[in-house]
Amino acid sequence: MRVGELARRTGTTVRALRYYESAGLVVPRRLGNGYREYDPIAVRLVAQIRELMALGLTVEETRPFVESIAGGADDTDVCAAAVATYRSTITNLQERIGRLTAQRDALDARLDAAATQVVPGGAPVGIDPAALVGISLPDLSFYGTDGRPVDLGALGPGRSVIFVYPLTGRPGVDLPNGLLEVHGARGSTEQAAWFRDHHAELRAAGAARVYGLSAQSTGYQRELVHRLRLPYPLIPDPRLTLASALGLPTRTAGDMTLYERLTLIIADGEVEHVFHPIPDPASHPLHVMRWLTKRRQDPGSVAA
């Protein structure tokens, strides 16, 4: 077969095949007209080279395997040269992993030191959340992650649930470890997911609408909504406007100011109930649902 046909059948490029030829691994015959002609076994040879290179072997390290195939062997892994190559490659990979791990740990340490001058468990700034009960929400307008305006002073009839959380991280680009050591910072993703999984039940229990709110940017929150497929919008408040208006408690971590975790139940434009502190964010939505259910069954009750 010609080089173009071999490239097509093996899913590689003509350039790569020329390289294998220059290394003496896949050698064609020369025809009288000067064209190169590859024997059918070349398909197996090229497939073996590509498979081993995907495992981390160099082109040269594939030589004993290729030569075994060319010599008629059915199992190229049993020859001594192949076993020695495997062991050598594994050793090299382990050394590289060790070096990369050390580099990652050093970078993590420097990033934490640079970005998180944190005093874990530091006192929150703001009023006692219990004092918020009975306060009317100010006319503050935001745009939720669904692109719709949200006026906190005119949320509409029925009860609204606004769970306020410090921050969430993105897979692969999570925030520095120090930030996650801030009291109450962990568990936001699980909390958002629980509100998602039981959104219909919360609505049935009496929540006309559900929102999440944090100081993170719109782009950050939209990523979370997309990744978790949240059925409710998140509200970005990077300027901590609501904290300034109501005195909501916040905590500072380096150059970041984060909301203290709490949940507001809003009815008729006023704060009807405040959940704070929230020691277990993942199970907290269950407590909200129980409170809503009890309140709906007995409107005069004062649920904890």
Side-chain angles (χ1 to χ4, degrees):
M1 75 190 77
R2 300 287 177 83
V3 67
E5 175 66 11
L6 179 59
R8 185 187 66 80
R9 293 178 62 178
T10 57
T12 188
T13 65
V14 172
R15 185 176 181 179
L17 294 177
R18 297 295 191 217
Y19 178 56
Y20 302 155
E21 180 183 344
S22 67
L25 296 173
V26 184
V27 181
R29 293 179 289 106
R30 285 283 186 176
L31 300 179
N33 58 9
Y35 287 112
R36 294 176 173 86
E37 182 77 8
Y38 291 89
D39 292 328
I41 197 173
V43 175
R44 283 190 63 197
L45 299 178
V46 173
Q48 180 75 110
I49 293 171
R50 288 170 55 80
E51 178 183 348
L52 293 172
M53 289 181 66
L55 292 175
L57 276 67
T58 66
V59 171
E60 181 57 33
E61 287 173 333
T62 68
R63 186 175 300 279
F65 302 88
V66 171
E67 290 177 348
S68 293
I69 292 177
D74 294 326
D75 190 349
T76 62
D77 289 346
V78 299
C79 69
V83 173
T85 300
Y86 280 144
R87 288 174 175 168
S88 174
T89 302
I90 291 171
T91 299
N92 291 336
L93 285 173
Q94 289 175 334
E95 291 175 353
R96 287 176 57 195
I97 290 170
R99 290 194 298 269
L100 290 171
T101 301
Q103 291 175 351
R104 182 202 63 193
D105 293 345
L107 285 170
D108 277 344
R110 296 192 66 166
L111 183 60
D112 288 346
T116 59
Q117 299 297 321
V118 183
V119 181
V125 177
I127 67 172
D128 180 359
L132 295 170
V133 175
I135 291 180
S136 297
L137 283 189
D139 293 324
L140 296 177
S141 294
F142 300 91
Y143 278 94
T145 49
D146 58 359
R148 299 178 181 178
V150 180
D151 185 349
L152 296 186
L155 291 173
R159 290 186 170 91
S160 300
V161 176
I162 303 177
F163 67 94
V164 181
Y165 62 94
L167 78 169
T168 59
R170 288 180 179 176
V173 288
D174 211 349
L175 294 171
N177 294 333
L179 281 178
L180 297 179
E181 294 305 322
V182 175
H183 177 73
R186 294 180 181 273
S188 297
T189 302
E190 292 82 358
Q191 182 181 14
W194 203 102
F195 273 115
R196 172 201 64 196
D197 296 340
H198 299 275
H199 184 253
E201 296 163 88
L202 286 164
R203 294 291 301 273
R209 57 200 64 84
V210 175
Y211 299 101
L213 183 146
S214 78
Q216 290 179 295
S217 67
T218 301
Y220 216 102
Q221 291 192 346
R222 281 178 178 167
E223 187 279 332
L224 184 70
V225 170
H226 177 74
R227 172 161 47 91
L228 298 185
R229 299 185 179 183
L230 301 181
Y232 54 85
L234 299 180
I235 300 174
D237 186 14
R239 297 184 179 180
L240 300 166
T241 308
L242 185 59
S244 299
L246 292 183
L248 297 186
T250 60
R251 291 178 182 270
T252 300
D255 59 353
M256 293 184 65
T257 301
L258 309 173
Y259 272 105
E260 179 88 357
R261 191 185 303 279
L262 57 84
T263 295
L264 304 173
I265 306 295
I266 311 300
D268 299 323
E270 294 185 353
V271 178
E272 183 180 18
H273 188 75
V274 180
F275 291 89
H276 182 274
I278 299 174
D280 184 7
S283 64
H284 165 65
L286 177 61
H287 301 150
V288 175
M289 188 166 65
R290 288 173 176 170
W291 187 94
L292 289 169
T293 301
K294 184 175 181 180
R295 196 70 169 183
R296 191 170 188 174
Q297 294 172 345
D298 183 5
S301 67
V302 179

